[in-house]
Amino acid sequence: MRDNKKIVMLTFSLIGIFFLVFLIFPLLTIFYQAFVSNSTINLTNFKNLISNSVIRTSFIDSLMISFQTSLLATLIGFVFAYCVNFTTVFKGCKSLIGTLIILPMLVPTIVYGFAIIYSFGKQGIITRLVGFQLFDIYSTQGLILGFLIYTVPIAYLLFNNAMSYIDHQYFIVSDIMGDSKLRRFWVTIISPLITTIAISIVQTFFLTFTDFGIPASLAGSKNLMATTLYNQMIGSVPDFANGSILALMMLFPALFSALLLFRLKRFEIRYDKRRTFLLTRNRPRDAFIFLLTASYLLITVATFCSFIIVPFVTNYPYNLTWTFEHISSVLSNSDLIATYLNTIEMSILTSILGIILAYTCALLVKRSILNPMLCRVIEGLSQLTIAIPGMVLGLAFIFAFSKTSLHYTLAILVIVNLIHFFATPFNLANQALEKMSDHYEQTASLLGDSYIRLLVRVIIPNSKQTLVEMFSYLFTNAMVTISAIIFLVGAHTATMTTKIKELQHFNKFDDIFILALLLLLTNLTVKYVIYLVFTKEKKSFKQVLKVDKLSTLQVKKGA
């Protein structure tokens, strides 16, 4: 691309048209629906909706619950990461902690609510074990528990990544300076992670505020912004004006969170060198930290035990006889199987096309002669996709494409996923291409190779691990997404998550849990295959190193 300016500009133009049609134009339709009436700007609907006490209450409740969840999720995520990185807890336990905490990310959030109902409800599994109901599942406590299961893995991944870069040399310096244990903890752990703490609070707040799945199953009489928007748009007569205004009410806090997140990442501390030493054993501290992590994991695992128990009994909680009838019923249901295959098809297409889109954009930004201003345009689009909640994006697609041939097709589901999940694979590709040598293009030019040949023979093979990570991210998220596609599915394009929402209306919770298990097993299988690919790559790389070492020794002996 550095050789051919025409190819660069053509590629940028095609990508620009794609984002203009499927991101900018749909967003503009929301503003049009909200403020334009009879070809004139009209704020009447906006004023009426803002003055509605139910809407104000749902907005305030969403903000308060999101803020409480973000603080708790950040604290719990920090404790988990600290246990994995800075305690002498048995290594096997650390691996188990790291695995169990991220398992909820492999199932849709709407299922969390049903799991909580069947675990902590009046006839729930845990309620029956302890003899009384621990809390009202349809209250703030139930919602916060569901949101914690959703956001704690994100907070943990943020802190685990940040803690892996902390230089242990500072622990020794603090010890030599005679710092107290509290001051040493503040100087060596908290201070380097101040920005990460802020990022975790903002990101978990954003995820909680914009999530639809958990409120859809647990909100009860408490309406949050996501469920209020859904109720406005689902019905015999959808209210487009009020729906668009509610979408803007969701968009502005989310946009502010994303901008703040972008600013905070600039202040992250980076170490030039990272030195690690053996951690000092502190049995009381390690036992206390492990007890905290084990307690939270016990609650999480116990919550999802309903997945394994409920589908395999005749009629929970009235007839607890073990049976496989529910499993065979679901597997023999052609409609559910078609929905599963449809979800697989959508996820694979999203993954393949998403890799092409994100990797091409990263090539333009990092390894082309594209004007820096145009590079910043692509990066700006990436930041914009982070800021848009899935439901808002889905609603924008309705306004923009409801009267086109795209509506209710698989294509529109794939496109909305490409926009919704664009930022993360783009950033992954950016980081991979940035680490490669700048001399590849010069060498290829001297050898007379075309850029396409360089791309196929050098750049893509060196990005193999990143491409696999991009596929894993896109596939997993496409399998479990619901908010961005809830308004866009049709009778023949239903996905597993939207089918789960449909089954909720008929109280078919056995089928819901079986579909959730099927989703979990599918995502675990994909993760395991990717793990095997990585393991094989590492082994082959080690073999290459061994061969290189042997050949070097032979040359030396021959000399």
Side-chain angles (χ1 to χ4, degrees):
M1 283 190 186
R2 288 179 176 172
D3 302 0
N4 199 323
K5 192 173 183 179
K6 289 183 179 179
I7 294 178
V8 170
M9 292 310 299
L10 177 62
T11 306
F12 176 80
S13 299
L14 292 174
I15 290 171
I17 292 170
F18 176 81
F19 279 105
L20 189 64
V21 173
F22 295 112
L23 177 60
I24 305 302
F25 173 64
L27 289 179
L28 291 177
T29 60
I30 288 185
F31 286 90
Y32 181 85
Q33 291 285 343
F35 298 116
V36 178
S37 178
N38 297 323
S39 301
T40 60
I41 296 176
N42 189 343
L43 300 178
T44 303
N45 291 332
F46 189 82
K47 291 177 181 177
N48 291 338
L49 199 66
I50 292 297
S51 62
N52 188 316
S53 59
V54 175
I55 300 299
R56 286 204 312 270
T57 301
S58 66
F59 184 73
I60 293 170
D61 284 345
S62 293
L63 290 176
M64 293 304 297
I65 290 174
S66 300
F67 183 67
Q68 293 174 58
T69 301
S70 64
L71 294 179
L72 287 171
T74 297
L75 178 61
I76 296 170
F78 177 88
V79 171
F80 269 86
Y82 185 87
C83 179
V84 170
N85 288 277
F86 296 116
T87 66
T88 55
V89 172
F90 182 60
K91 189 175 180 180
C93 292
K94 290 183 179 182
S95 299
L96 184 63
I97 288 170
T99 301
L100 290 178
I101 197 172
I102 63 172
L103 278 181
M105 298 175 70
L106 303 181
V107 293
T109 56
I110 192 171
V111 178
Y112 300 175
F114 304 136
I116 290 172
I117 291 169
Y118 271 80
S119 297
F120 298 99
K122 291 182 179 180
Q123 294 294 328
I125 296 169
I126 295 175
T127 301
R128 290 163 69 92
L129 287 174
V130 299
F132 61 94
Q133 190 173 7
L134 297 174
F135 58 89
D136 182 6
I137 57 175
Y138 296 109
S139 64
T140 300
Q141 292 94 327
L143 284 168
I144 288 178
L145 176 58
F147 284 130
L148 283 177
I149 294 173
Y150 173 42
T151 56
V152 164
I154 307 299
Y156 162 75
L157 291 173
L158 285 170
F159 283 115
N160 188 51
N161 179 67
M163 287 182 182
S164 66
Y165 288 100
I166 290 180
D167 192 348
H168 292 198
Q169 182 74 28
Y170 288 90
F171 301 159
I172 298 174
V173 173
S174 180
D175 189 40
I176 293 172
M177 296 293 291
D179 292 340
S180 63
K181 290 183 178 180
L182 185 61
R183 177 170 173 76
R184 185 185 309 162
F185 179 73
W186 176 266
V187 171
T188 60
I189 303 293
I190 299 297
S191 291
L193 295 177
I194 289 293
T195 304
T196 306
I197 292 170
I199 290 173
S200 175
I201 292 173
V202 172
Q203 189 155 338
T204 51
F205 174 89
F206 170 79
L207 292 171
T208 304
F209 185 79
T210 59
D211 181 65
F212 168 72
I214 294 165
S217 54
L218 271 184
S221 60
K222 185 184 286 295
N223 281 327
L224 300 185
M225 287 300 294
T227 50
T228 303
L229 174 59
Y230 179 78
N231 293 332
Q232 287 287 331
M233 296 306 300
I234 298 297
S236 57
V237 184
D239 193 331
F240 292 126
N242 285 348
S244 59
I245 294 168
L246 288 170
L248 291 178
M249 292 177 68
M250 286 186 69
L251 179 61
F252 288 137
L255 185 61
F256 175 77
S257 298
L259 290 173
L260 186 58
L261 193 66
F262 178 70
R263 294 290 299 175
L264 286 170
K265 286 185 176 180
R266 296 184 177 185
F267 298 100
E268 287 183 296
I269 294 177
R270 299 183 184 275
Y271 295 97
D272 295 330
K273 294 181 180 180
R274 179 178 182 266
R275 290 151 290 197
T276 58
F277 304 97
L278 289 175
L279 298 169
T280 56
R281 185 180 294 276
N282 187 330
R283 292 185 184 277
R285 177 204 63 186
D286 294 351
F288 177 70
I289 294 293
F290 180 72
L291 183 63
L292 288 178
T293 56
S295 300
Y296 177 82
L297 283 177
L298 182 63
I299 294 171
T300 304
V301 171
T303 300
F304 286 99
C305 277
S306 54
F307 277 27
I308 303 171
I309 296 174
V310 173
F312 293 96
V313 297
T314 303
N315 185 17
Y316 185 88
Y318 308 107
N319 186 349
L320 301 181
T321 307
W322 286 93
T323 180
F324 288 95
E325 289 183 6
H326 301 306
I327 299 289
S328 60
S329 174
V330 168
L331 294 180
S332 61
N333 188 321
S334 59
D335 182 43
L336 293 180
I337 294 300
T339 301
Y340 174 70
L341 295 176
N342 188 58
T343 308
I344 293 288
E345 184 180 1
M346 180 193 70
S347 301
I348 291 175
L349 287 173
T350 298
S351 302
I352 295 172
L353 296 177
I355 288 172
I356 294 171
L357 177 65
Y359 197 76
T360 303
C361 288
L363 284 171
L364 287 174
V365 171
K366 295 298 181 183
R367 307 194 74 87
S368 78
I369 56 173
L370 189 66
N371 186 287
M373 285 293 294
L374 298 181
C375 291
R376 283 195 284 273
V377 168
I378 295 177
E379 292 172 340
L381 290 171
S382 169
Q383 293 300 320
L384 182 59
T385 58
I386 292 175
I388 304 172
M391 288 196 74
V392 175
L393 188 61
L395 187 63
F397 268 56
I398 283 186
F399 293 153
F401 306 112
S402 60
K403 295 180 181 180
T404 68
S405 58
L406 273 177
H407 200 203
Y408 296 140
T409 63
L410 184 65
I412 200 170
L413 301 184
V414 173
I415 292 169
V416 78
N417 282 336
L418 292 179
I419 299 293
H420 190 38
F421 302 126
F422 171 73
T424 297
F426 170 71
N427 290 331
L428 286 171
N430 257 354
Q431 292 169 9
L433 293 172
E434 198 171 25
K435 292 175 183 176
M436 291 185 195
S437 172
D438 287 333
H439 302 298
Y440 286 159
E441 286 82 358
Q442 295 176 7
T443 305
S445 179
L446 291 172
L447 293 173
D449 287 343
S450 65
Y451 186 81
I452 299 298
R453 194 172 182 183
L454 171 68
L455 196 65
V456 173
R457 296 181 61 182
V458 180
I459 295 180
I460 290 178
N462 277 287
S463 307
K464 192 180 295 183
Q465 181 172 338
T466 300
L467 292 172
V468 173
E469 289 175 359
M470 291 164 67
F471 180 89
S472 174
Y473 172 85
L474 288 165
F475 182 88
T476 302
N477 281 276
M479 287 289 291
V480 302
T481 188
I482 182 172
S483 59
I485 64 173
I486 188 66
F487 297 131
L488 302 173
V489 295
H492 301 292
T493 57
T495 65
M496 295 279 275
T497 51
T498 58
K499 179 62 70 173
I500 286 171
K501 177 62 181 171
E502 179 187 328
L503 292 172
Q504 178 190 6
H505 294 293
F506 301 102
N507 293 323
K508 293 185 176 181
F509 292 102
D510 296 323
D511 293 352
I512 286 173
F513 286 148
I514 293 168
L515 292 182
L517 277 175
L518 195 55
L519 278 172
L520 178 62
L521 290 173
T522 303
N523 283 330
L524 283 174
T525 301
V526 170
K527 293 282 186 184
Y528 182 67
V529 170
I530 289 171
Y531 167 77
L532 291 179
V533 170
F534 279 160
T535 305
K536 186 178 179 180
E537 287 290 329
K538 288 178 181 178
K539 284 182 179 178
S540 61
F541 181 67
K542 287 179 180 178
Q543 288 172 355
V544 169
L545 287 179
K546 287 180 180 178
V547 170
D548 287 345
K549 287 180 181 178
L550 286 171
S551 60
T552 303
L553 286 172
Q554 288 172 357
V555 169
K556 286 182 178 179
K557 287 178 181 178

